[in-house]
Amino acid sequence: MRWPVVRLIAAREIRDQLRDRRTLFLILGLPVLMYPLFVGVGILFVAAIKEKKLIVGVVGAEFLPQPKPDISPSAAAVAGVPTGYIYLESRTFPPLIVNGQFPERYLVDDPDGVTLLVKPLDTSNEDVLANRQVDALLVIEPDFLVKLERGERPTVRVSEREGEENSKLAVRRLIVVLRRWADGVKTARLARAGLSPDFDSPIEIKDPLSDKPLAKKVFDELRDGLVKVIPFLLMMWMLTGAIYPAIDMTAGEKERGTMETLLISPAERSEIVLGKFTAVVTMGFGTALWNVVLMLIAVTIAPLLAPTIAGQTLISLPGLGACILAALPLAMMIAACGLALGVFARSTKEGNYYMVPMFFVALPLSYVSMSPGIELDAATSWIPVTNALLLQQRLLGVRADAFPWQHIPAVFASLSLCISVALWAAVRQFHRESVLFREAEAGGRKWSLFGWGKQQR
């Protein structure tokens, strides 16, 4: 093996690819156009959500507990009045609607960022939903307050417009408001019975999820999503950047008639394959690096999309660097498989067909890595593609448990085996003239990736 020859072939292939405007647009130009588009769409989406006003039609608002006049004692009140006021206030059922709108204490920490408007209605006919006069309908029973005073359980009914996103959003937000209001009603009922507000909760449970502020929850969910998505995007970027060069360096050279010139050179077939392999890996891995740079630029302006995460780091740069390095074996496997499949094709069009099975294999394996509860263990560390993505997820994640170093050898052994088999298949096909010169065959049966073809006329 003469490595200077391999480097020379690789440099020649990379130079030819960089001269191709289609390749440059696909690898460099398209991401530059797509990421600003994604950021712009995200800004418009957030702005539209925050300005969204959803209307809740309320039937029977007069049957709800009504707000009491403000009789809070002044600082100069006589002794005993403040205590009496607090006692009376704790036994009063809280109102659901004050001054024609829901109280602010029921609307805090709104994850959807929408505004609920109250519209009083005289009828519970659901035509108002179908006519889009309201987005959700709240119906109060005429005997609601009577049942509440008797200690019974009155019912409120919520209706939505089937199959419509705004109506679902309004109902979801309305249910949150009703549950918070129901907690206040329950507290007043317990006070009337002479019981403490936490009487029905004999055990205090410290929930690490529900005790977090809303901004922290949003931040953690976004970070956990990026941990799973970024490795998958890296693989897709490498597939995008490697497949077209692999086809062009094999089937494309057959079409242009430059394969024969390369084969009659002093270079050995294995050196030709390794040179092309190095070029494809460079193009695929370079595409991933370029997209990572653009992604980091997009992440730096994430506070514009979500001010609640301002000042917090979504992605660990050391973890991202380790994740990128761990993606290199995956890029090598994609390049090796691309060359082994591309050399079968007689044209670039046929080469594109031959690359489809690689997507059918890679995508399900990548989806496995994104499934809930899947971790890098003794079993998954031997599954190609899945093990690489799980390793990258583990490198990106911020976790307190020990890193699974014991599974790293299995990951690289599995990927190395796949790379070796694919390169062996590619070298073997480069030694077979029946594959390299399929267009030159005058008759007889021709090789196909899926078996023997039809008899040529």
Side-chain angles (χ1 to χ4, degrees), residues 7 11 88 159 172 192 206 254 309 338 365 370 449:
R7 290 195 297 270
L88 178 62
S159 301
R172 183 167 64 246
R192 291 187 177 192
K206 294 292 185 180
K254 292 182 184 181
I309 63 175
L365 291 176
M370 301 174 68
L449 179 63

Side-chain angles (χ1 to χ4, degrees), residues 6-204:
V6 174
R7 290 195 297 270
L8 180 63
I9 295 174
R12 173 239 181 196
E13 297 290 354
I14 295 175
R15 184 172 59 250
D16 290 344
Q17 292 298 316
L18 294 179
R19 288 174 178 171
D20 188 355
R21 293 182 179 179
R22 292 175 300 177
T23 303
L24 289 179
F25 176 76
L26 182 66
I27 294 176
L28 301 179
L30 187 60
V32 172
L33 296 177
M34 293 301 294
Y35 279 95
L37 179 62
F38 291 156
V39 173
V41 171
I43 293 176
L44 293 177
F45 175 77
V46 173
I49 285 294
K50 289 192 174 298
E51 295 177 0
K52 185 179 289 294
K53 292 180 169 53
L54 302 177
I55 301 176
V56 178
V58 181
V59 180
E62 63 274 13
F63 306 126
L64 290 168
Q66 301 301 313
K68 304 295 183 182
D70 188 9
I71 57 172
S72 55
S74 62
V78 295
V81 173
T83 304
Y85 167 75
I86 295 175
Y87 175 78
L88 178 62
E89 183 72 14
S90 65
R91 297 168 61 89
T92 302
F93 292 123
L96 176 62
I97 300 175
V98 178
N99 297 327
Q101 60 185 1
F102 296 119
E104 286 295 330
R105 64 179 180 273
Y106 300 146
L107 299 173
V108 295
D109 293 341
D110 184 1
D112 300 315
V114 299
T115 302
L116 289 183
L117 302 179
V118 177
K119 181 178 181 180
L121 297 175
D122 297 328
T123 175
S124 60
N125 193 333
E126 295 189 2
D127 289 342
V128 293
L129 288 170
N131 297 332
R132 305 185 69 88
Q133 298 180 24
V134 297
D135 297 297
L137 184 63
L138 175 63
V139 180
I140 310 298
E141 296 178 345
D143 57 349
F144 179 89
L145 193 56
V146 175
K147 288 184 176 180
L148 202 60
E149 294 289 349
R150 290 204 301 253
E152 301 178 9
R153 295 186 63 190
T155 302
V156 296
R157 180 166 55 88
V158 178
S159 301
E160 66 174 353
R161 189 166 48 247
E162 291 290 341
E164 207 271 327
E165 189 64 29
N166 285 337
S167 181
K168 292 181 180 179
L169 185 60
V171 169
R172 183 167 64 246
R173 193 69 192 103
L174 176 60
I175 293 299
V176 174
V177 172
L178 291 176
R179 286 176 177 171
R180 291 174 177 174
W181 171 65
D183 289 339
V185 172
K186 180 183 66 174
T187 300
R189 177 171 285 184
L190 291 174
R192 291 187 177 192
L195 302 174
S196 62
D198 56 356
F199 174 79
D200 60 337
S201 299
I203 300 176
E204 182 180 4

